[in-house]
Amino acid sequence: MQETDGAAAAVGGVPVAELARCYGTPLYAYDAEIIRQRCRDLAAWDTVRFAQKACSNLAVLNLVRQEGVVVDAVSAGEIHRALAAGYMPHAAPGNGEDGLPPVHPIVYTADIFDRDSLAAVASHGIHVNCGSADMLDQLAERMPGAAVTLRVNPGFGHGHSQKTNTGGEGSKHGIWHEDIPQVLQRAEWAGLMVSGLHMHIGSGSDLAHLAEVAGAVERIAADVGRSLTTISAGGGLPVPYRPDETHADLGGYFQLWDATRKRLEDRFGHRIRLEIEPGRYLTAEAGSLVTEVRATKRMGSKRYVLVDAGFNTLARPVLYGSYHPIRVVAADGRPAAGEPQAVVVGGPLCESGDIFTQEEGGFVTSRPLPPAAVGDFLVLDVAGAYGFVMASNYNSKPLPAEVLVDGGQHRLVRARQTSDDLIRGETV
Ligand SMILES: *Cc1c(COP(=O)(O)O)cnc(C)c1O
């Protein structure tokens, strides 16, 4: 349902039409206050580690850093971003006053080291979360005696799509749970100390499935023994995308992990740091993709609204059949009025899959929206996670601009690419 107040035509209190006028479209706008609030929602956890792959703009990293949130990096590029946003490469030595082990400001999590990431990890002394046993030997050669975390595949997974399921035999992620004893042996031979255990079974999972992970971590912790000082619940916290969806019970989820942590502390006789590693949860709801309507037409019985953003700008619908709420804002900046009518919303790409209103499997659906004409704006909401970061230059379209809205002010945090950016590095 369309609200009639100004909020329906704004992002973080700034009118959509003003953002479009200042920065052009398509445009990603992030509401800083929502990101801060989501960070604070998770204050019960010892460590909130942002899976930056969800939204890695430097301004967003800087914002979560100011909230005391640390980061995960999955590539040399993400390590570079974290450092550029002001994160220290590694923990200060020694334990905190609370007896907890030091927190690693940046952790590299992956199933491989490509040569760039191994070089970046070694040169900055970044802590590594290993998803394959081969990484242990490669790391030991470059960082003898390092402490490491093992990412475990517990043998089951869950996700909003098969593509976001990251556990079980069908997933490439992590070290197979049954192999942990021999991998621990291999770490010892390599001279590495296993200080952390991590599991991440999928994105957009329901909490009942995520909760099973705590039991698996506890069982494997017994094999690791007293060198264990940190456990990570991974990410995957769901966010509401559809109007009928609500926020999950995070309090209950924390309690369950906290109880697991306390049993491990009793067993080992020392404190255990408890981490959570959300991506989507921190930024999804804060982000809106502002587009302009460039054409409307009919194809037989179907009405189409075509905007200036496509799956080059927001790939989730074409990749996963994901649903994004859509608002219509009139060209004059007011929320659109008028009887909703069913429309298919698509983009500019030369590809029939370039449709925002589709379900998994590519089935085109329509959405009841107030009438929109050329020059009006369509705002795709809950687009702050896996939005800009998955944008591409397909069809030689520039990457869109990114803007941070904070306290009624707005500023450009990434300029739209230019035509010259598109051909940089190429030669005839
Ligand atoms: C992607 C990812 C996350 C974050 O997943 P969300 O569903 O966005 O919370 C956390 N940890 C790891 C290792 C990941 O790959």
Side-chain angles (χ1 to χ4, degrees), residues 51 53-54 72 74 109 151 198 200 202-204 234-237 277-281 386:
K53 73 177 195 280
D72 186 53
V74 298
T109 297
R151 175 174 184 173
H198 169 279
H200 171 72
S203 284
L237 295 179
E277 195 176 66
R280 180 186 319 277
Y281 185 80
Y386 308 106

Side-chain angles (χ1 to χ4, degrees), residues 120-411:
V121 158
S123 68
H124 297 291
I126 305 281
H127 184 83
V128 177
N129 178 10
C130 298
S132 301
D134 286 322
M135 292 173 73
L136 296 171
D137 306 318
Q138 293 161 349
L139 184 69
E141 201 177 295
R142 302 290 291 273
M143 289 174 69
V148 291
T149 294
L150 300 183
R151 175 174 184 173
V152 182
N153 179 334
F156 58 88
H158 196 65
H160 64 71
S161 150
Q162 193 46 44
K163 294 172 192 156
T164 64
N165 183 341
T166 58
E169 281 187 16
S171 164
K172 67 173 179 171
H173 295 293
I175 297 166
W176 188 247
H177 59 119
E178 290 168 332
D179 294 345
I180 290 295
Q182 78 206 52
V183 171
L184 287 167
Q185 185 63 230
R186 192 161 160 185
E188 196 178 318
W189 287 334
L192 300 175
M193 184 184 71
V194 176
S195 63
L197 270 184
H198 169 279
M199 284 186 202
H200 171 72
I201 62 163
S203 284
S205 328
D206 59 70
L207 290 186
H209 279 93
L210 286 179
E212 291 176 33
V213 176
V217 163
E218 192 169 347
R219 283 193 297 281
I220 292 166
D223 293 338
V224 177
R226 292 198 73 249
S227 65
L228 188 73
T229 54
T230 301
I231 56 174
S232 172
L237 295 179
V239 303
Y241 281 95
R242 294 175 187 266
D244 58 336
E245 290 172 343
T246 55
H247 280 108
D249 170 22
L250 295 179
Y253 186 57
F254 171 75
Q255 299 281 313
L256 178 116
W257 274 98
D258 192 38
T260 301
R261 174 257 292 278
K262 284 183 175 136
R263 284 194 295 276
L264 291 175
E265 288 181 335
D266 288 344
R267 178 197 291 254
F268 297 135
H270 61 237
R271 299 293 314 273
I272 299 279
R273 180 176 287 281
L274 176 58
E275 295 199 359
I276 189 159
E277 195 176 66
R280 180 186 319 277
Y281 185 80
L282 297 189
T283 58
E285 294 161 278
S288 296
L289 170 60
V290 179
T291 74
E292 188 192 359
V293 177
R294 298 304 303 159
T296 63
K297 57 183 176 179
R298 267 177 195 274
M299 299 287 175
S301 63
K302 282 199 161 65
R303 285 170 201 272
Y304 284 76
V305 173
L306 302 183
V307 298
D308 57 4
F311 72 68
N312 58 311
T313 330
L314 176 65
R316 298 187 69 250
V318 73
L319 280 177
Y320 316 118
S322 302
Y323 177 100
H324 286 272
I326 300 178
R327 290 181 277 163
V328 180
V329 176
D332 67 4
R334 282 191 287 211
E339 244 342 87
Q341 49 189 208
V343 294
V344 177
V345 179
L349 302 180
C350 292
E351 182 122 10
S352 47
D354 186 27
I355 295 292
F356 288 119
T357 48
Q358 63 178 295
E359 285 171 4
E360 192 159 18
F363 299 103
V364 171
T365 59
S366 50
R367 186 85 60 89
L369 292 178
V374 171
D376 291 345
F377 304 108
L378 253 58
V379 182
L380 287 88
D381 287 315
V382 203
Y386 308 106
F388 179 89
V389 290
M390 284 187 167
S392 76
N393 286 129
Y394 188 46
N395 277 208
S396 288
K397 295 275 188 185
L399 294 178
E402 292 176 287
V403 167
L404 191 69
V405 178
D406 196 3
Q409 308 290 309
H410 48 92
R411 68 188 169 94

